[in-house]
Amino acid sequence: MPNYSEILRLHELGIGQRKIAQQVQSSRDTIRKVIETAVQQNISYGDILSKTDEEIAKIFTGTQSSAAKADPIYEMPDYERLAKELKRPGVTMTLLWEEYSYECRQSGKIPYKRSQFMYHFDQHLQHTGFTDIIHHKPGEEIEVDWAGTQPRWLDPDTGEVNNGYLFIGVLAFSGYAYAEACADMKEESWINCHVHMFEYFQGVTKLLVPDNLKTGVTSHPQHEEADLNHAYQEMAEYYGIAIVPARVRHPKDKPLAENVVNQCTKYIIAKLRDYQFFSLDEYNKQAMKELESFNCRPFQKKPGSREEIYQNIELDCLRPLPQYGYEYAEWRKAKVQANSHVAFDKKYYSVPHEYIGQEVDLRVTKKTITVYYQHSSLCIHNRIYGHDGAYDTFPEHMPASSNAHEEWNKDRFIKWANEIGVSTVEVITNLFAQYKYEQQGYNGAKSILMLASKYSKERLENACGTALAHISHPRYKNIKAILENKQDKPEEPSAHIRTIEKTFLRGADYYKGGGQK
């Protein structure tokens, strides 16, 4: 089944039917029919967001009445004239639609909505062959890639040479480039480079064309839609940009990026080869100066430079940036434990107790942790830094009674400890007394009691006694250390051989006899 919602989203971004067909892996005829149906029924991407897949499919597969095929109340634009205007530098379809809408309102006529205007305009351009003339439009596409040659800098402490990686981004129309050196090619570096690039360009385009690196694309089977990493897809949606990865082993899908990579290798990496940098920041500061010089270099075969075309034409065609830049987030799977918490980086965050035992998704940034269940946000926590085992608990997440979850509760842990010994009961009781909510003690209590299966009940009881003698509130790590170091065993008396000295005493009879018997 075609991805109807994605087709409409890309169409409303002003992306051509050929690019849409390539992205969603559907025929151009299917794309045309979906867009035509949306125009006839006056349906936008926002109208179908809340509908189910079955409802959406019914909309686009149902038969439309002939009355819906044309509506004479709307003013038909002069697409012949508009096509000529589109050839002029800096003129976009959106600009033409805004001018057309203004003219209609001034004359008291009803203009087409943006989606309808774009649809009819695209049909006109296809019939006139105009789309074959313009290969790149201002503000339409960014191509990105990593350079093959590695930048280098020295470690100031050891003098060791560090090798990095150079990220390259280029605006397809003007050739205006961005470059940034990174210590690695991990997902976080990849995402952050995109954010810095958008800020450098002072806007975003409609399309983003990356290579098929694992940092951005999970898989890209032949003749199928690419599967993007969660964070990369989230970043694209945040900026309202469509990611269309190049086909595997098809470098001509992003020729400008390939060319600029070669140019930046020569004008940045090679030019800085004899410099001595002692940090990545130092390297990037000098690389930025070389990048600005590269963008201002005059073209060899045409007038102007990348900088001039960017400033005079393409900058005004870029879509505005959101108020705040995207913050990189990693996604993790977690299971809600019996204590109504999930664990991340040895810290614990509460989740509504109704989700105990369920698998949830964690969106983790440097500041927050957001818990999702089936794409719905359950709660947001401030990320905890510091000692392991810390808890962030919302009171409303805790059950009204400690027995709300039938499998685990404080009484069960105390009963379990009773089977081991008095000292173990005291340790577990003290452990629960340290927490505001008893659920926070479940993990620690269970970990302590499970030591009996590894070391025996007797040794655990002795270890708890030893711990209580030296620590007011012993925890799992204290008792485990005692057991590992065998400090739970009572001291045995030193094994030494007693030498029995035999003393021969002379009695009175000896002396009476003059010393002789």
Side-chain angles (χ1 to χ4, degrees):
M1 184 178 71
N3 191 342
Y4 298 111
S5 59
E6 184 67 7
I7 292 172
L8 287 189
R9 187 179 77 87
L10 296 176
H11 174 65
E12 291 182 8
L13 287 173
I15 298 170
Q17 294 184 19
R18 187 188 301 274
K19 285 284 188 181
I20 296 176
Q22 179 183 348
Q23 173 69 3
V24 302
Q25 298 298 320
S26 294
S27 67
R28 292 179 64 189
D29 186 56
T30 299
I31 304 301
R32 178 185 59 78
K33 291 179 179 178
V34 171
I35 295 173
E36 185 176 359
T37 301
V39 172
Q40 290 173 354
Q41 298 192 42
N42 197 20
I43 296 173
S44 66
Y45 171 67
D47 295 334
I48 65 174
L49 280 178
S50 60
K51 298 183 181 296
T52 64
D53 292 342
E54 291 75 11
E55 291 173 337
I56 295 173
K58 187 176 180 180
I59 291 173
F60 291 98
T61 57
T63 305
Q64 303 301 316
S65 63
S66 58
K69 294 182 179 180
D71 194 336
I73 67 171
Y74 295 100
E75 177 67 13
M76 178 63 71
D78 183 359
Y79 288 117
E80 190 70 33
R81 179 183 64 83
L82 296 179
K84 294 177 182 179
E85 289 292 317
L86 191 60
K87 296 180 183 180
R88 298 174 63 178
V91 178
T92 64
M93 284 188 176
T94 299
L95 175 62
L96 294 174
W97 172 73
E98 290 173 351
E99 293 176 346
Y100 152 76
S101 299
Y102 177 77
E103 292 173 0
C104 288
R105 286 192 294 269
Q106 290 297 104
S107 59
K109 298 177 182 178
I110 302 176
Y112 277 118
K113 289 186 177 180
R114 186 178 182 278
S115 59
Q116 295 170 312
F117 175 88
M118 296 294 185
Y119 169 74
H120 291 300
F121 203 168
D122 185 69
Q123 293 296 307
H124 175 82
L125 294 177
Q126 287 189 28
H127 285 95
T128 58
F130 180 77
T131 51
D132 294 331
I133 299 174
I134 300 179
H135 298 289
H136 295 292
K137 296 180 182 179
E140 182 180 51
E141 183 178 312
I142 295 175
E143 298 176 7
V144 293
D145 203 354
W146 292 103
T149 306
Q150 295 181 299
R152 298 180 178 182
W153 61 93
L154 299 176
D155 187 308
D157 297 324
T158 64
E160 182 183 357
V161 176
N162 294 321
N163 293 320
Y165 304 88
L166 191 68
F167 172 89
I168 303 292
V170 55
L171 289 166
F173 178 79
S174 63
Y176 193 67
Y178 173 77
E180 180 181 347
C182 301
D184 54 57
M185 291 196 298
K186 295 180 180 179
E187 185 180 69
E188 183 173 3
S189 298
W190 175 253
I191 297 291
N192 288 337
C193 282
H194 281 72
V195 175
H196 300 159
M197 175 185 68
F198 295 145
E199 293 172 353
Y200 183 79
F201 290 158
Q202 301 178 59
V204 295
T205 57
K206 300 173 184 176
L207 293 176
L208 180 64
V209 182
D211 211 338
N212 285 275
L213 297 173
K214 290 297 183 183
T215 47
V217 182
T218 303
S219 63
H220 194 175
Q222 189 175 10
H223 306 305
E224 294 184 21
E225 186 176 350
D227 183 17
L228 303 179
N229 287 342
H230 202 151
Y232 203 33
Q233 179 65 43
E234 184 184 53
M235 182 208 71
E237 293 175 358
Y238 183 83
Y239 286 103
I241 193 169
I243 298 178
V244 184
R247 291 172 293 174
V248 179
R249 292 185 292 276
H250 282 73
K252 290 184 178 180
D253 284 357
K254 49 181 182 60
L256 283 171
E258 297 290 338
N259 178 57
V260 173
V261 163
N262 294 332
Q263 296 288 325
C264 287
T265 298
K266 178 170 64 174
Y267 288 106
I268 296 180
I269 298 179
K271 197 169 182 178
L272 301 180
R273 67 189 184 280
D274 293 329
Y275 282 67
Q276 282 195 348
F277 301 102
F278 294 98
S279 70
L280 182 59
D281 289 338
E282 283 186 14
Y283 189 97
N284 274 323
K285 286 180 181 178
Q286 187 61 37
M288 187 57 64
K289 295 179 181 179
E290 302 300 336
L291 175 67
E292 292 172 357
S293 176
F294 169 75
N295 282 326
C296 292
R297 289 176 63 86
F299 289 119
Q300 294 182 352
K301 297 182 180 180
K302 59 182 179 180
S305 65
R306 292 174 171 84
E307 172 76 19
E308 290 178 10
I309 297 178
Y310 164 75
Q311 292 290 349
N312 297 332
I313 299 176
E314 191 153 29
L315 178 58
D316 292 336
C317 299
L318 297 175
R319 304 173 68 191
L321 293 172
Q323 183 177 2
Y324 302 103
Y326 173 78
E327 184 179 10
Y328 170 75
E330 60 177 309
W331 289 82
R332 297 288 184 86
K333 296 283 187 182
K335 187 175 181 179
V336 182
Q337 302 174 2
N339 62 357
S340 300
H341 288 73
V342 291
F344 177 79
D345 193 26
K346 298 182 181 179
K347 316 294 189 301
Y348 300 92
Y349 304 87
S350 66
V351 177
H353 65 87
E354 295 86 356
Y355 296 92
I356 289 175
Q358 299 296 329
E359 186 178 65
V360 295
D361 295 305
L362 305 182
R363 183 182 184 272
V364 183
T365 70
K366 291 183 178 180
K367 297 179 181 179
T368 62
I369 290 185
T370 307
V371 183
Y372 290 87
Y373 178 70
Q374 295 182 354
H375 308 293
S376 296
S377 175
L378 299 182
C379 54
I380 301 177
H381 291 268
N382 291 325
R383 187 168 175 180
I384 305 172
Y385 291 94
H387 67 85
D388 294 343
Y391 280 81
D392 187 29
T393 304
F394 294 162
E396 61 270 22
H397 290 170
M398 296 296 99
S401 169
S402 63
N403 295 320
H405 190 263
E406 58 185 10
E407 185 176 359
W408 297 107
N409 56 64
K410 177 181 176 181
D411 294 338
R412 174 170 177 176
F413 285 110
I414 299 296
K415 183 179 179 181
W416 186 355
N418 265 312
E419 298 174 0
I420 299 173
V422 177
S423 296
T424 306
V425 172
E426 186 175 351
V427 167
I428 299 300
T429 303
N430 288 345
L431 179 67
F432 279 109
Q434 297 174 49
Y435 294 107
K436 182 177 180 180
Y437 305 99
E438 74 169 51
Q439 289 80 5
Q440 295 176 338
Y442 287 0
N443 285 339
K446 186 176 181 181
S447 298
I448 292 172
L449 296 172
M450 288 295 291
L451 291 172
S453 60
K454 182 177 181 180
Y455 294 100
S456 80
K457 293 182 178 180
E458 181 181 0
R459 288 197 60 189
L460 176 57
E461 172 65 12
N462 292 337
C464 288
T466 302
L468 289 168
H470 298 86
I471 306 170
S472 58
H473 299 292
R475 292 176 175 269
Y476 167 76
K477 63 180 181 180
N478 307 124
I479 297 171
K480 183 181 179 183
I482 291 172
L483 290 167
E484 288 178 343
N485 296 315
K486 298 181 179 179
Q487 295 173 335
D488 58 293
K489 297 182 178 180
E491 294 186 3
E492 296 180 359
S494 300
H496 57 275
I497 301 174
R498 293 183 179 180
T499 303
I500 301 176
E501 297 182 359
K502 296 183 178 181
T503 304
F504 296 92
L505 298 177
R506 296 180 176 92
D509 294 340
Y510 175 84
Y511 293 103
K512 288 179 180 180
Q516 296 178 354
K517 289 186 180 179

